[in-house]
Amino acid sequence: MENKCNKYEGLFVFSDEETLKKHILECEDCQQEHEKMEKVSQLLDEVKFHYRLKNKRVRKLKAVCIAACLIFFSSTLGFVTNDDDFMDALMYGETLSAEDLGFPVDSYGLLMVD
């Protein structure tokens, strides 16, 4: 029973290309491992275009959604702030009480509960 060479991963990660190529030419086990890695690399190169195309579509969709939200909220902000009496009361320090808002209150200004 022969021991398989397990240097491929270490050489691939930690050494330079020349050392790896030299070892691959000498070692049959590492040569087979390198061929497997090349096949996987080719498969990844094939699908890379489709993955990038999908990501581009998602990014465009996100940008359109963000732009639509910004336009919607900026246009509705103008309608919300048109209530001048309420805004003046808040800006100039007049405090609003429960009685001012139309709720039934007792002599202390607290909400009345039946």
Side-chain angles (χ1 to χ4, degrees):
M1 182 171 180
E2 283 185 35
N3 291 334
K4 284 187 137 186
C5 178
N6 56 5
K7 294 181 182 177
Y8 181 78
E9 184 179 349
L11 290 172
F12 184 79
V13 173
F14 297 112
S15 71
D16 57 349
E17 268 188 60
E18 293 175 16
T19 309
L20 178 64
K21 286 182 182 180
K22 183 179 176 185
H23 181 73
I24 288 173
L25 292 175
E26 295 172 357
C27 180
E28 187 177 323
D29 293 333
C30 292
Q31 189 175 14
Q32 290 174 357
E33 187 71 24
H34 185 68
E35 288 173 3
K36 288 180 189 176
M37 294 294 280
E38 286 296 320
K39 288 179 183 177
V40 170
S41 179
Q42 289 173 356
L43 286 173
L44 289 175
D45 285 340
E46 278 183 38
V47 298
K48 182 172 36 175
F49 173 73
H50 300 291
Y51 182 72
R52 285 186 180 168
L53 186 63
K54 181 182 174 187
N55 278 346
K56 189 182 284 188
R57 288 181 188 155
V58 170
R59 281 185 274 153
K60 283 183 182 178
L61 182 63
K62 285 180 183 179
V64 168
C65 288
I66 289 171
C69 287
L70 286 174
I71 290 170
F72 174 74
F73 288 121
S74 63
S75 64
T76 56
L77 185 63
F79 296 119
V80 172
T81 59
N82 281 343
D83 190 10
D84 292 332
D85 296 334
F86 183 72
M87 291 302 290
D88 288 340
L90 291 177
M91 288 170 49
Y92 297 115
E94 296 177 17
T95 57
L96 295 175
S97 65
E99 189 177 13
D100 294 336
L101 295 174
F103 293 111
V105 294
D106 60 4
S107 60
Y108 296 107
L110 301 173
L111 287 175
M112 215 191 237
V113 179
D114 292 328

